[in-house]
Amino acid sequence: MLLCGFFKFEKSGSDFTMTVKKAKSKKKTVAKVKELTGAEALVKCLEDFGVEYIWGLSGGAAIPIFDALVGSKIKLVLVRHEQGATHIADGYARATGKPGVVLVTSGPGATNTVTGIMTANMDSIPMIVLTGQTISPMLGKDAFQESDIFGITMPVVKHSYLVKKTNDIPRVIKEAFHITNTGRPGPVLIDLPKDITSAPFTGKSLNPSMDLPGYKIASKGNLSDIKKMAKMFKGAKRPLLLVGHGAVLSRAGDAVAKLARKLNSPVTNTLLGKGEFPETDPLSLGMLGMHGTAYANKALTRCDVICSIGSRWDDRINGDTKKFCVGAKKLHIDIDPAEIKKIVQPDASCVGDARLIVEELVKFVEPCDTKEWLDECKFYKKEFPLKFDNKKGLTAQYVLHELQNLTKGKAIISTDVGQHQMWSAQFNFSIKGQKWLSSGGAGTMGYGFPAALGAQFGCPKDLVVAVVGDGGFQMTLCELATMAINKLPVKVLILDNKYLGMVRQWQELFFDNRYSGVDLEGNPDFIKLADAYGIKGVHIDKVSQVNKRLKEAIDYKGPVVIHAEILKEDNVFPMIPAGKSAYEMIIEPPTTKLEKPTGST
Amino acid sequence: MATSSKDNIHTISVYVANKPGVLVRCAQVFARRAYNIDALVVSPGLNPKYSRMTITASGDPAILDQIIKQTAKLIDVLHVFEHTSTDAVDREYALMKVKVKSPASKAAIKKLIKNRAHVLDDSEGALILGQSGTTEECDVLEAQLNKYGIIEMVRSGKLVMARGKEPT
C-alpha cells in the first residue's frame, strides 16, 4: 500500500526507507515501505547484481517470483524442462564468467535441476538456483509439490539456503552471489517458501552486510610456497605444464604463456583446460588423458617436473596414481586447499588463484635447458599424430576436422558427452579460454545443446556450435523450442552413429562385442524434427558434402540443426583403459581382446 | 560405540556458524568417505552465534586429513582441528542403568563406584549411575558393572578442549 503524502528516497545506496512528510504537521516520520513483497525485493536485488537473464519454468510455489519479474529489466526465458535451464545457465557462466540464474518451482521442478546443479558443481561453475517451496507452515508435511530440495542438493552445491524470513532475502542473495563466483566457484541454491516471497519486505536495506564468518577465499599464494615451486624447476630437463579448468576460471592464460616461454616448457591441458593456452601454439601438446593425444601422454611418462595449474589430477588423466609421472617432481597450484594431496602427493604446492600465483612464479623461475626435450616432443607429434580415414565411411573426426578448418578455433564449442566429445576435444583446437564448454567431471549427457544456448545468450555475436551425439541430444532436445523462440543462431551438429557410442566401444573392446543397451534404434528424423520447430535442417551423409554443408549451416543467420550420419562403429583412440597409467596407452586399434578395465569408467 | 582399533579413533573439533543444515553438511563429508562417526556432541559456543561440534570418528588416518580439509571448506565452518591427549583435555559423561538383584548387590555396586560415579536414581530393581571421566575410565567402569547387568547406557561422547591458550 502506498503511503499518502510527500515522500522521497534516502540517498544511501539502495536503502529505500522513505521519509514521509505529513503535509499538515510538517513533522518528519520514517516509515518502512510496504510496497515491496519478498519476491519483488528478490528481483530488485537480482537487478542490482546485473542479472541479464533468468532461465526457468514456472509453477505454483514460485508464482510470486514470476509475478515480480513482470516489467523487470531481467529477461525471463521460459525453458521446456528445468534441467535445460540449469545447463543453459551453466553454458552462459562458462562463456561469460558471470553466474547463470535459474528459477523453478518446488517439488519436481526443483528436483529436475539436480543433474544440472551436480554438473556445475563438479566443474566449479557459478550458478544461482532459485526454487519455489511450499509455504513454511507446511514444510515437512508432504504438502503438494513439496520436496526437500535443500536436503536433496546438499552434497552437490557449494552452498545452499532455505529462507525462513522475508527480510533475509537481500542478505541471502548478496551472500549467494559472493559465494558462487569467488574462490573455487560453484552453484548456490536458494529455496524460497511461497509465504516468504509473498509477504511484505520490511527490511531496512536491499544491500545489507553479509554474515559469512566461515568463508575463506585464498587469492594470492604464499610467497615462500611459490619460491619453493620455482626451485623445483631448477635443473629440470623435461618440465611439463598441465593447464586445468582453474586456469580458465582465473583467466591465467597470459601468465601461463609467459611461464611456458620463460621455462621453454611444453604445455598440455585437461579437457576443461582447453584454450587458456592456445592448442595451436608450438609448445602445446593438446589434451592429455584417457583419450588425449598420444604425444601429450608420452610426454607425461617422460617429464621430470610436472606443474598442475588449476587441475585436480582427475582420474581421466591419472588412472593409476602409483604409476603417474613416476620419478617426476609434482607441483600443484589450486585455489582449493582440499585438492592438495587428494590424489597426488605433491613435492611443492601453492594454494590460491592460478593467475596470481603463476604471475608471481614467472618472476622466480629460470629458463630450463629443454632443447632435447622439445625435440623429443616434436618427434612424438610426428610419430603419433591424431588420425582418421574415411575408407569405411564418413567419420566424425573428418566432420570435426572440417569444422575446425571453417571456424579456426574462433567459435564457442559446446559438446555433449561421449565419443563425439573426445573427438571434438582432439580435432577442435581451442585458442582462447571460455570457448570450450563440456561437462568434464560429471559427464552429463544432455548438457551440450542447452549449454550452447546459454553461451549464445551470453555472447550473442559469437558463432556457437553444439557438437552432440544422437543419444545425448535426445535427452534435452525439448530446448529446440527455446532456441527457436529466442532466435538463437546456434549450429547444432548431431554426429549420429545410431549408438551410445562410447559404451558400445567398451563393449566391443572389453566385453566380446556383447552389445547391451547401446543400440539407438528408433532415432527420429532429425531434419523433420528441426522442421517441426521451424528450424533449418542440413543433412550430411557423404564425405564430399561435409565442407559445403557445414559452411552453409555456419553462414545461415539463424538456428540450424546439422544431421551428420557417420560411421556406426568407430572407436576413439588413443585410449588409456580406465584404471591404467599413461604407460599403457593404446594408440592403434588392438588386434587382440583386452582385459576388462579396473577403473570405473 | 567404536568398533575399530584405538589407533584409528580421532577426536575432531569443528567450530561452526550456527546456521541451519551445518550439522548435516559436516556429517555428509564423513559419510561420503565411509568414515564412521562414533560420537558427536553439538553445543552452543561462548558466543551463541557459533556452535561447537566434537566428533569422535574412526577410520584410516590418511583419509582424515582430506576429511578435515573438506569440512573446513564448508561455508559455515570456521575451523576444524584434530586433537590428541597431548594437546587437549577430554572428558565424557556416562549414564548407566544397572540391575539390582538384592540389597547385597546394591551395596557391592555402590562400593565399586565409590569416588568414580554418583547414584542419580535409586529405584526398585535398578540404579542409575552417572560418571564423568575420560573415555577410558568410562569404559573400565562399564566393563566392571557388566557382571551386575547394565540395562541401558547413554554416553555423551567426548568433549574436548585445547590446552593452554590455543583455540579448540
Side-chain angles (χ1 to χ4, degrees):
Chain A
M1 190 182 77
L2 277 167
L3 292 161
C4 296
F6 172 68
F7 55 86
K8 63 168 189 181
F9 283 101
E10 296 243 308
K11 281 177 187 170
S12 57
S14 43
D15 187 336
F16 62 100
T17 306
M18 292 174 197
T19 308
V20 180
K21 282 183 186 169
K22 285 188 182 170
K24 283 182 184 171
S25 66
K26 290 186 182 175
K27 192 180 157 190
K28 277 187 185 177
T29 55
V30 176
K32 298 278 184 292
V33 173
K34 288 189 179 173
E35 62 186 331
L36 287 191
T37 62
E40 286 161 348
L42 168 78
V43 169
K44 183 130 189 12
C45 292
L46 295 174
E47 287 174 348
D48 288 348
F49 275 100
V51 173
E52 301 172 275
Y53 292 101
I54 290 179
W55 296 280
L57 208 141
S58 59
I63 287 184
I65 309 170
F66 281 87
D67 180 69
L69 281 165
V70 175
S72 164
K73 56 186 170 190
I74 299 172
K75 183 162 169 24
L76 170 67
V77 177
L78 178 64
V79 297
R80 292 299 179 266
H81 187 286
E82 291 88 347
Q83 183 186 350
T86 56
H87 294 326
I88 293 173
D90 177 314
Y92 172 87
R94 288 190 208 224
T96 64
K98 294 185 272 187
V101 182
V102 172
L103 170 62
V104 298
T105 193
S106 63
T111 56
N112 277 346
T113 65
V114 174
T115 302
I117 295 172
M118 186 275 270
T119 304
N121 195 50
M122 285 291 261
D123 288 350
S124 313
I125 302 303
M127 181 189 292
I128 309 263
V129 178
L130 307 164
T131 54
Q133 180 56 280
T134 189
I135 52 171
S136 336
M138 287 304 284
L139 280 172
K141 295 181 186 170
D142 302 322
F144 177 64
Q145 290 193 334
E146 180 193 0
S147 68
D148 175 14
I149 198 65
F150 179 73
I152 289 169
T153 55
M154 223 178 243
V156 294
V157 292
K158 182 172 176 186
H159 198 52
S160 50
Y161 294 89
L162 169 56
V163 182
K164 290 181 180 160
K165 288 184 201 147
T166 304
N167 287 354
D168 284 346
I169 289 174
R171 176 183 55 80
V172 168
I173 295 292
K174 189 174 178 184
E175 289 178 4
F177 272 88
H178 179 60
I179 290 167
T180 197
N181 212 10
T182 50
R184 180 178 183 168
V188 177
L189 179 131
I190 305 170
D191 201 18
L192 295 149
K194 190 179 181 181
D195 55 327
I196 301 299
T197 52
S198 310
F201 174 76
T202 56
K204 283 183 182 162
S205 169
L206 287 176
N207 186 20
S209 51
M210 294 190 285
D211 179 25
L212 294 171
Y215 187 49
K216 305 159 277 280
I217 310 164
S219 57
K220 275 172 102 175
N222 182 308
L223 193 61
S224 65
D225 289 343
I226 294 171
K227 284 181 177 169
K228 191 179 169 194
M229 289 179 90
K231 266 189 198 157
M232 294 277 169
F233 282 105
K234 208 169 178 186
K237 297 271 182 229
R238 298 186 301 280
L240 181 62
L241 301 182
L242 165 58
V243 177
H245 195 207
V248 179
L249 291 168
S250 76
R251 308 314 328 268
D254 290 346
V256 171
K258 271 184 204 154
L259 182 65
R261 300 202 201 297
K262 189 162 178 193
L263 288 167
N264 303 311
S265 171
V267 180
T268 182
N269 53 262
T270 65
L271 176 74
L272 296 190
K274 269 172 80 72
E276 197 57 32
F277 181 77
E279 291 183 300
T280 48
D281 192 287
L283 284 175
S284 175
L285 301 173
M287 180 178 81
L288 82 169
M290 183 177 272
H291 292 295
T293 65
Y295 31 97
N297 288 331
K298 289 270 177 196
L300 195 64
T301 64
R302 289 277 299 144
C303 64
D304 60 2
V305 177
I306 181 163
C307 179
S308 161
I309 303 165
S311 121
R312 56 186 172 88
W313 315 101
D314 174 71
D315 56 61
R316 303 295 85 181
I317 64 167
N318 178 13
D320 182 351
T321 45
K322 290 194 184 98
K323 291 190 199 162
F324 183 72
C325 298
V326 180
K329 285 178 192 156
K330 297 167 192 86
L331 317 181
H332 193 179
I333 297 168
D334 207 297
I335 200 159
D336 180 358
E339 289 299 341
I340 310 293
K341 294 188 194 169
K342 187 179 86 175
I343 304 289
V344 158
Q345 300 299 313
D347 297 277
S349 61
C350 188
V351 172
D353 178 87
R355 181 175 61 79
L356 297 177
I357 291 171
V358 176
E359 278 172 357
E360 206 60 27
L361 182 61
V362 175
K363 296 178 194 165
F364 298 103
V365 294
E366 286 165 26
C368 299
D369 177 13
T370 59
K371 195 183 170 303
E372 276 179 37
W373 174 228
L374 293 176
D375 285 345
E376 186 180 331
C377 291
K378 242 182 239 168
F379 169 78
Y380 293 142
K381 275 189 181 178
K382 208 178 145 201
E383 199 70 4
F384 309 107
L386 289 165
K387 53 188 175 185
F388 60 88
D389 71 58
N390 289 324
K391 270 183 218 152
K392 288 185 191 161
L394 176 60
T395 59
Q397 296 95 310
Y398 177 67
V399 178
L400 293 164
H401 171 73
E402 285 299 312
L403 177 68
Q404 170 67 23
N405 287 340
L406 290 166
T407 58
K408 304 268 187 271
K410 285 177 187 155
I412 294 176
I413 293 188
S414 172
T415 79
D416 216 72
V417 170
Q419 286 185 314
H420 72 275
Q421 176 190 31
M422 293 299 111
W423 281 320
S424 188
Q426 291 175 343
F427 289 92
N428 295 130
F429 307 119
S430 299
I431 54 172
K432 226 175 141 189
Q434 298 186 319
K435 297 245 178 196
W436 172 262
L437 286 48
S438 197
S439 168
T444 301
M445 286 175 67
Y447 168 84
F449 168 51
L453 302 183
Q456 191 78 81
F457 273 114
C459 309
K461 288 180 183 162
D462 283 60
L463 170 62
V464 180
V465 182
V467 178
V468 298
D470 47 322
F473 177 63
Q474 291 184 70
M475 291 184 173
T476 46
L477 64 75
C478 54
E479 303 311 335
L480 283 168
T482 312
M483 174 161 85
I485 292 162
N486 293 282
K487 300 185 176 61
L488 297 167
V490 171
K491 317 304 170 199
V492 185
L493 171 58
I494 306 170
L495 294 167
D496 176 13
N497 57 5
K498 295 157 185 69
Y499 271 121
L500 295 169
M502 190 57 97
V503 179
R504 190 210 55 74
Q505 172 170 345
W506 274 55
Q507 290 175 346
E508 179 193 325
L509 295 177
F510 308 115
F511 289 82
D512 286 323
N513 283 308
R514 288 157 61 90
Y515 291 175
S516 177
V518 292
D519 192 338
L520 287 175
E521 187 189 6
N523 271 352
D525 179 331
F526 290 106
I527 300 294
K528 277 191 187 162
L529 181 75
D531 190 49
Y533 286 93
I535 293 168
K536 179 183 168 70
V538 172
H539 185 251
I540 300 173
D541 62 357
K542 290 187 184 64
V543 173
S544 58
Q545 300 165 338
V546 174
N547 185 284
K548 198 177 149 217
R549 300 223 170 143
L550 278 183
K551 196 167 182 313
E552 176 196 340
I554 288 169
D555 291 342
Y556 181 74
K557 306 228 179 302
V560 185
V561 167
I562 309 154
H563 179 209
E565 294 187 76
I566 54 161
L567 199 57
K568 281 189 76 174
E569 301 188 12
D570 195 5
N571 294 330
V572 186
F573 291 109
M575 177 179 195
I576 301 172
K580 299 265 187 182
S581 73
Y583 299 90
E584 291 141 296
M585 172 174 52
I586 303 162
I587 302 178
E588 300 284 340
T591 49
T592 53
K593 194 195 154 195
L594 302 168
E595 58 183 275
K596 283 183 185 159
T598 51
S600 167
T601 52
Chain B
M1 287 298 283
T3 50
S4 42
S5 79
K6 209 180 154 190
D7 293 341
N8 279 347
I9 299 174
H10 309 276
T11 311
I12 301 133
S13 178
V14 188
Y15 195 49
V16 302
N18 205 349
K19 304 248 176 112
V22 64
L23 173 62
V24 183
R25 286 185 218 271
C26 291
Q28 271 179 354
V29 176
F30 285 76
R32 197 169 164 212
R33 299 298 298 265
Y35 235 73
N36 264 344
I37 292 182
D38 298 321
L40 169 67
V41 187
V42 186
S43 53
L46 194 57
N47 177 344
K49 270 187 78 181
Y50 305 108
S51 286
R52 170 91 53 195
M53 291 164 47
T54 310
I55 299 173
T56 312
S58 50
D60 181 354
I63 298 173
L64 184 68
D65 179 51
Q66 182 65 22
I67 288 181
I68 287 179
K69 284 181 189 170
Q70 285 181 330
T71 308
K73 182 170 127 174
L74 295 169
I75 307 292
D76 291 334
V77 171
L78 279 83
H79 68 238
V80 187
F81 296 133
E82 187 189 2
H83 289 296
T84 61
S85 53
T86 37
D87 70 17
V89 293
D90 64 79
R91 283 295 178 276
E92 68 173 294
Y93 197 82
L95 291 172
M96 284 174 268
K97 188 183 286 178
V98 186
K99 243 183 233 169
V100 175
K101 287 172 193 156
S102 63
S105 72
K106 185 189 277 188
I109 292 167
K110 285 189 174 172
K111 193 179 166 196
L112 177 69
I113 65 163
K114 201 175 175 194
N115 296 331
R116 291 200 278 172
H118 298 282
V119 176
L120 303 177
D121 182 71
D122 188 346
S123 300
E124 171 113 31
L127 285 175
I128 296 177
L129 311 174
Q131 180 194 18
S132 95
T134 62
T135 300
E136 293 71 24
E137 286 165 352
C138 294
D139 289 346
V140 167
L141 188 61
E142 180 197 334
Q144 290 172 338
L145 287 168
N146 251 333
K147 68 173 175 183
Y148 299 96
I150 300 177
I151 303 165
E152 272 185 332
M153 185 175 72
V154 180
R155 284 172 69 159
S156 67
K158 243 178 219 183
L159 296 169
V160 70
M161 185 172 273
R163 293 177 193 272
K165 287 183 177 172
E166 292 303 309
T168 303

